[in-house]
Amino acid sequence: MNYVVVSSIGAVFMGFFVLFIRMKAANKPTNLKKIILPPFFMSSGALMYLVPQFRLTPMEILEAVIVGMLFSILLIKTSQFEIRDNDIYLKRSKAFIFILVGLLVLRVVLKTILSSTIDIGQLSGMFFLLAFSMIVPWRVAMYRDYKKLYKQLHG
């Protein structure tokens, strides 16, 4: 089976998994560990760059990082916290679901188009770096917002 198709199907399942986790997370108070740990867990994926076929050129790195950081703006704008029952909760955002699905569709479309000109290994490396470059600024912004509310709540 075609690697692009298989990886796209995997991305769709992961996207729905993220949506499910995000919806459940809004029902429970959040903490710094829940904000900080996902990028650390994801960083283990960088081990793919030990394999030569996943390595990127400096221009591919720059492109992936810039696009990831631009996409992170959408996630930052739709992630807000609120104080409820003397705890800090992540607010539900209807826009977040549409943005996440939109990013997922865009990823599948771009992967389909770019797979004809960029090697599948490099493309995988670019999409991993794009996702990591999207998640890190988002989580840093969440960390800062959480700390502000935490100080407000606990003096």
Side-chain angles (χ1 to χ4, degrees), residues 48-113:
M48 78 168 68
Y49 298 117
L50 294 176
V51 179
Q53 84 181 72
F54 294 109
R55 292 187 189 147
L56 306 175
T57 66
M59 186 54 87
E60 290 169 337
I61 292 170
L62 185 64
E63 290 169 355
V65 169
I66 288 172
V67 172
M69 293 177 97
L70 288 173
F71 285 167
S72 75
I73 294 169
L74 297 170
L75 297 174
I76 292 168
K77 295 291 184 189
T78 58
S79 298
Q80 296 176 353
F81 294 103
E82 65 182 348
I83 297 174
R84 231 186 313 146
D85 302 327
N86 221 20
D87 276 316
I88 301 173
Y89 288 80
L90 190 59
K91 276 187 186 179
R92 283 189 185 222
S93 170
K94 291 178 184 168
F96 181 83
I97 293 168
F98 293 112
I99 288 170
L100 199 59
V101 170
L103 289 172
L104 187 60
V105 168
L106 185 61
R107 180 188 187 279
V108 170
V109 169
L110 285 173
K111 196 164 196 176
T112 303
I113 293 168

Side-chain angles (χ1 to χ4, degrees), residues 27-55:
N27 297 328
K28 297 177 184 174
T30 194
N31 57 45
L32 285 179
K33 188 168 59 170
K34 291 179 182 178
I35 294 169
I36 294 171
L37 286 180
F40 282 106
F41 294 146
M42 186 180 175
S43 67
S44 65
L47 291 172
M48 78 168 68
Y49 298 117
L50 294 176
V51 179
Q53 84 181 72
F54 294 109
R55 292 187 189 147

